[in-house]
Amino acid sequence: MLVFLDESGDAGFKFNQGSSTHFVIALVIFASAEDAESTASAIKSLRQQLRLHSGFEFKFNKMSNDLRSLFLERVKDLPFRICALLVDKQNLDESLKVSNEHFYQFFVAQVLQQFQSQIQPAKLRVDGSGSREFKNAFKTYLRQKLGTGVIADCKFVDSASDSLIQLADMVSGALYRSAHLEKSGQSFLDLIRHKVEDILFLGATK
């Protein structure tokens, strides 16, 4: 399995100063390399159709509602599945507020552990931001939490040049919007709801 992971929301807890109340991790899952390649090709074709430059990055938070809808409409019948984690941060244990890195690692491990039967052995691809130390600590943490067999390998990739990480960003963005019960958020999620295999809810979200 090829699994592309991205998140929406942040690890902060200062809700009155702009921290997000929710945190989402989306897994976009491909059964084969061929399915992944055909999906990436369709996204490339969409760029060309819209006359966007070849390096244009589809990023949910930086796009108009019309372009978000157009993207999700284009990919909704492509060969991938979605599993996700949706966290309401307002009722989390204090132990998760130690650091942003611990917060992120903990919930990535949670979502991978929850859906291991759907993804293993996973070739995991994660957005490549972060220092070398963070990336090494991240991989070590996952090995310790998940053991062997769940992740075949883990690589960090540049979202600016990887259409499938951009797809994961768009999926996590749609899920995040839906968590806030925004009308537009529900409409985005409705376009790809049939692709959602399972969602793990933590905190007060239901």
Side-chain angles (χ1 to χ4, degrees), residues 123-187:
K123 295 181 178 179
L124 182 65
R125 303 295 179 256
V126 185
D127 188 7
S129 58
S131 66
R132 178 179 297 179
E133 291 76 13
F134 167 78
K135 293 175 182 178
N136 289 337
F138 175 82
K139 292 179 181 180
T140 298
Y141 184 89
L142 292 187
R143 283 196 300 269
Q144 291 172 344
K145 292 295 182 182
L146 303 175
T148 59
V150 179
I151 299 177
D153 67 75
C154 176
K155 294 181 180 179
F156 289 84
V157 297
D158 183 2
S159 65
S161 59
D162 193 298
S163 291
L164 300 181
I165 282 289
Q166 293 173 33
L167 172 59
D169 175 275
M170 294 296 292
V171 169
S172 67
L175 287 163
Y176 179 84
R177 282 293 184 92
S178 74
H180 291 272
L181 303 179
E182 298 180 15
K183 184 177 180 181
S184 63
Q186 292 298 320
S187 66

Side-chain angles (χ1 to χ4, degrees), residues 49-76:
Q49 175 190 332
L50 297 174
R51 297 183 179 180
L52 301 169
H53 64 82
S54 60
F56 178 84
E57 181 175 0
F58 291 105
K59 199 167 183 63
F60 192 93
N61 286 338
K62 295 183 178 181
M63 290 161 54
S64 68
N65 285 343
D66 286 345
L67 188 51
R68 290 165 179 159
S69 295
L70 184 61
F71 179 95
L72 295 171
E73 180 72 35
R74 182 63 175 267
V75 303
K76 68 178 185 179

Side-chain angles (χ1 to χ4, degrees), residues 6-201:
D6 206 0
E7 78 283 347
S8 289
D10 57 64
F13 289 89
K14 297 179 180 178
F15 302 121
N16 61 345
Q17 297 180 34
S19 295
S20 65
T21 56
H22 293 77
F23 183 74
V24 172
I25 294 176
L27 305 179
V28 173
I29 306 161
F30 297 94
S32 67
E34 291 76 17
D35 287 346
E37 289 168 7
S38 66
T39 299
S41 178
I43 295 171
K44 179 180 178 180
S45 295
L46 177 60
R47 283 194 196 88
Q48 294 172 341
Q49 175 190 332
L50 297 174
R51 297 183 179 180
L52 301 169
H53 64 82
S54 60
F56 178 84
E57 181 175 0
F58 291 105
K59 199 167 183 63
F60 192 93
N61 286 338
K62 295 183 178 181
M63 290 161 54
S64 68
N65 285 343
D66 286 345
L67 188 51
R68 290 165 179 159
S69 295
L70 184 61
F71 179 95
L72 295 171
E73 180 72 35
R74 182 63 175 267
V75 303
K76 68 178 185 179
D77 295 320
L78 296 176
F80 65 90
R81 298 176 287 122
I82 298 167
C83 289
L85 168 73
L86 204 162
V87 182
D88 186 329
K89 292 160 47 185
Q90 297 168 99
N91 294 304
L92 292 180
D93 188 88
E94 289 294 322
S95 64
L96 293 171
K97 303 177 183 181
V98 175
S99 71
N100 289 358
E101 288 187 3
H102 174 68
F103 179 96
Y104 179 73
Q105 292 170 352
F106 176 84
F107 284 115
V108 170
Q110 287 284 302
V111 72
L112 295 174
Q113 190 171 48
Q114 174 71 20
F115 301 121
Q116 58 182 302
S117 63
Q118 288 106 308
I119 65 173
Q120 67 182 7
K123 295 181 178 179
L124 182 65
R125 303 295 179 256
V126 185
D127 188 7
S129 58
S131 66
R132 178 179 297 179
E133 291 76 13
F134 167 78
K135 293 175 182 178
N136 289 337
F138 175 82
K139 292 179 181 180
T140 298
Y141 184 89
L142 292 187
R143 283 196 300 269
Q144 291 172 344
K145 292 295 182 182
L146 303 175
T148 59
V150 179
I151 299 177
D153 67 75
C154 176
K155 294 181 180 179
F156 289 84
V157 297
D158 183 2
S159 65
S161 59
D162 193 298
S163 291
L164 300 181
I165 282 289
Q166 293 173 33
L167 172 59
D169 175 275
M170 294 296 292
V171 169
S172 67
L175 287 163
Y176 179 84
R177 282 293 184 92
S178 74
H180 291 272
L181 303 179
E182 298 180 15
K183 184 177 180 181
S184 63
Q186 292 298 320
S187 66
F188 297 137
L189 182 57
D190 284 344
L191 290 170
I192 54 171
R193 195 180 298 274
H194 62 290
K195 310 295 285 186
V196 179
E197 193 168 82
D198 208 348
I199 299 178
L200 173 64
F201 296 99

